[in-house]
C-alpha cells in the first residue's frame, strides 16, 4: 500500500516483489550464516564491541546502545543486533579475502532473482570487488556485514529466511497451487526448489537457534514479541533511507521484522517492512514492524486448523 497526500492508502505497487532497498540488520543473518558455513567464525567466538563505535577509513559503525556491549559472543551480538560486534566478526574473517565472503553469498543464491510470475522484480545488489561497477570500496565488506550497500526486495529476503526455517531447502515463492473449474483441476503448480541445501545442516541449526534467541532471550531485540502460547523466531532490522543527509530532522528509516513460526516446527514465514515510520513513536524494527508481525502470527495461529 502507498499513502497519498491526503493520508489515504491505495495500491500502487506490489512492494514485496518490486521494491528493493538496503536491508539493515535483517542481512546479519545472511552474513553470519555465510561465515558459519565457511567455518571462519563460530557463535561462541568473542568480539569486543569497542564501546559501541568502531571506524574504517574515517567512517564510523555505531551500536544503538551508547557505550556498546563490551566483550560478547557472536551469538550475543546477533541477539542484541550489535553492529560493531557483527562487523568486527566479519571483518576479521574476510578482510584479507572479501571475495570468499561474496562467493559464499552467491552460493546461497542471494544474487539471483526469484523469477516470479509477477513482473517487476529487480535483481539483488551485492557489491563484488571483482566487478568494476562502482559499488566496491574500502568499507564495502564492513558495511555489507550489517546490511548497507546490499539491496533486496522483501520477498527475496523472506525467501532466504524461509530456507533457514525449511532446514536449508530454498523454494521459489508459489502464488497459485491449482487452477480449476469447479472440481476439475486444469493445472497444478508444483513446488519449485531453487537450492536443495543452501548450507550444511550444522549451519542451519545454528542459524535457527540465533533467530529463536532474538525473541526468547531476555536481551534479544525481539524479546518484546515473546509469547508463552507459541514460539516465534526472527530478526529485527532498522535501516536509514537517507543516511547521507546531515540534517537529523530529514533522516528517515525503514523498519523490518522477518521470521517464521512456530519456531520449533515452522509452518509460516512472514516479513513486515514499514517505510518512514513516525519517529516520535518509534522507528526500530522491534518497536514498529515486530508488533505487526506478532499480530499477524497470533491471528494465523488462532484461526488455522491444527
Amino acid at each position: 500500500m502507498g499513502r497519498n497526500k491526503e493520508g489515504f492508502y491505495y495500491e500502487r505497487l506490489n512492494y514485496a516483489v518490486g521494491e528493493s532497498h538496503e536491508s539493515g540488520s535483517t542481512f546479519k543473518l545472511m552474513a553470519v550464516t555465510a561465515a558459519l558455513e565457511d567455518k571462519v567464525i563460530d557463535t561462541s567466538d568473542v568480539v569486543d564491541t569497542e564501546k559501541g563505535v568502531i571506524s574504517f577509513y574515517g567512517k564510523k559503525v555505531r551500536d544503538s546502545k551508547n557505550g556498546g556491549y563490551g566483550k560478547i559472543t557472536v551469538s550475543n551480538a546477533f541477539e542484541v543486533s550489535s553492529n560493531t560486534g557483527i562487523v568486527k566478526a566479519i571483518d576479521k574473517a574476510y578482510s584479507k579475502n572479501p571475495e570468499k565472503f561474496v562467493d559464499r553469498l552467491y552460493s546461497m543464491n542471494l544474487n539471483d532473482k526469484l523469477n516470479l510470475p509477477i513482473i517487476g522484480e529487480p535483481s539483488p545488489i551485492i557489491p563484488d570487488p571483482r566487478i568494476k561497477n562502482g559499488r566496491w570500496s574500502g568499507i564495502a565488506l564492513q558495511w555489507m556485514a550489517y546490511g548497507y550497500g546490499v539491496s533486496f526486495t522483501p520477498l527475496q529476503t523472506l525467501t532466504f529466511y524461509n530456507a533457514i526455517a525449511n532446514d536449508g531447502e530454498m523454494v521459489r515463492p508459489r502464488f497459485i497451487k491449482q487452477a480449476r473449474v469447479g472440481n476439475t483441476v486444469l493445472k497444478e503448480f508444483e513446488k519449485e526448489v531453487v537450492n536443495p541445501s543452501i548450507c550444511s545442516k550444522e549451519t542451519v541449526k545454528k542459524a535457527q537457534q540465533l533467530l529463536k534467541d532474538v525473541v526468547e532471550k531476555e536481551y534479544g531485540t525481539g524479546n518484546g514479541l515473546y509469547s508463552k502460547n507459541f514460539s516465534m523466531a526472527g530478526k529485527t532490522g532498522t535501516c536509514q533511507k537517507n543516511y547521507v543527509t546531515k540534517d537529523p530532522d530529514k533522516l528517515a528509516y525503514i523498519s523490518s521484522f522477518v521470521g517464521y513460526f512456530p519456531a520449533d516446527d515452522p509452518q509460516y514465514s512472514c516479513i513486515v517492512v514499514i517505510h518512514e515510520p513516525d519517529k516520535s513513536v518509534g522507528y526500530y524494527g522491534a518497536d514498529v514492524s515486530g508488533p505487526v508481525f506478532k499480530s499477524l502470527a497470533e491471528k494465523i495461529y488462532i484461526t488455522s486448523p491444527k
Side-chain angles (χ1 to χ4, degrees):
M1 306 291 285
R3 187 165 59 182
N4 62 21
K5 293 180 180 179
E6 288 73 39
F8 295 104
Y9 288 91
Y10 67 103
E11 291 188 52
R12 67 176 188 181
L13 170 70
N14 190 317
Y15 289 96
V17 172
E19 183 178 67
S20 185
H21 56 80
E22 288 182 306
S23 304
S25 291
T26 58
F27 187 78
K28 288 173 182 172
L29 178 68
M30 291 75 154
V32 171
T33 300
L36 289 171
E37 185 67 6
D38 281 337
K39 298 188 183 302
V40 291
I41 68 168
D42 199 2
T43 53
S44 60
D45 291 347
V46 176
V47 291
D48 189 347
T49 60
E50 302 283 355
K51 297 183 179 181
V53 182
I54 56 177
S55 298
F56 298 92
Y57 296 96
K59 301 293 185 180
K60 297 185 185 298
V61 177
R62 300 179 184 273
D63 278 332
S64 59
K65 179 184 177 182
N66 291 332
Y69 301 91
K71 293 182 180 180
I72 56 176
T73 64
V74 168
S75 61
N76 292 147
F78 191 88
E79 291 162 24
V80 300
S81 203
S82 168
N83 295 332
T84 59
I86 298 299
V87 169
K88 285 196 72 173
I90 296 300
D91 177 67
K92 181 180 178 181
Y94 293 106
S95 60
K96 295 181 180 179
N97 187 9
E99 294 87 352
K100 183 177 181 180
F101 180 64
V102 174
D103 284 342
R104 179 57 65 186
L105 297 177
Y106 287 173
S107 76
M108 298 189 295
N109 301 90
L110 284 166
N111 61 318
D112 298 331
K113 291 175 66 173
L114 296 172
N115 295 320
L116 302 169
I118 297 177
I119 63 172
E121 180 192 10
S123 296
I125 295 174
I126 298 176
D128 189 327
R130 296 160 295 194
I131 300 175
K132 295 182 180 179
N133 63 356
R135 295 191 183 277
W136 192 261
S137 68
I139 60 172
L141 173 68
Q142 296 77 18
W143 259 238
M144 288 169 67
Y146 72 121
Y148 286 89
V150 296
S151 187
F152 302 92
T153 67
L155 205 51
Q156 289 165 352
T157 296
L158 181 60
T159 298
F160 183 87
Y161 276 73
N162 190 78
I164 296 298
N166 209 30
D167 291 332
E169 183 183 59
M170 179 179 285
V171 298
R172 196 181 322 281
R174 178 175 55 170
F175 299 101
I176 302 174
K177 186 175 182 179
Q178 290 180 338
R180 61 165 62 191
V181 175
N183 293 326
T184 303
V185 177
L186 302 179
K187 186 175 181 179
E188 294 269 6
F189 294 86
E190 302 294 338
K191 179 179 76 172
E192 294 183 61
V193 177
V194 175
N195 188 334
S197 183
I198 62 170
C199 59
S200 67
K201 296 300 182 186
E202 178 185 5
T203 296
V204 165
K205 293 303 180 186
K206 290 180 179 180
Q208 290 173 342
Q209 188 62 52
L210 288 172
L211 294 173
K212 283 183 64 177
D213 289 347
V214 167
V215 177
E216 295 181 1
K217 289 292 185 70
E218 180 182 359
Y219 296 105
T221 55
N223 180 255
L225 310 180
Y226 175 74
S227 171
K228 63 180 181 180
N229 298 319
F230 74 105
S231 58
M232 296 174 285
K235 182 73 185 75
T236 56
T238 308
C239 178
Q240 290 185 18
K241 291 184 69 171
N242 50 352
Y243 47 85
V244 294
T245 182
K246 295 183 179 180
D247 185 349
D249 292 332
K250 293 182 179 180
L251 283 177
Y253 297 87
I254 302 171
S255 167
S256 303
F257 191 92
V258 55
Y260 51 85
F261 57 94
D264 294 322
D265 182 25
Q267 301 298 317
Y268 303 92
S269 59
C270 177
I271 184 169
V272 177
V273 181
I274 299 176
H275 284 251
E276 301 184 26
D278 185 343
K279 290 184 289 185
S280 66
V281 177
Y283 56 86
Y284 287 112
D287 301 325
V288 180
S289 298
V292 178
F293 179 97
K294 182 178 181 180
S295 178
L296 289 168
E298 288 179 332
K299 185 174 180 61
I300 291 170
Y301 184 80
I302 293 170
T303 59
S304 297
K306 302 297 186 288

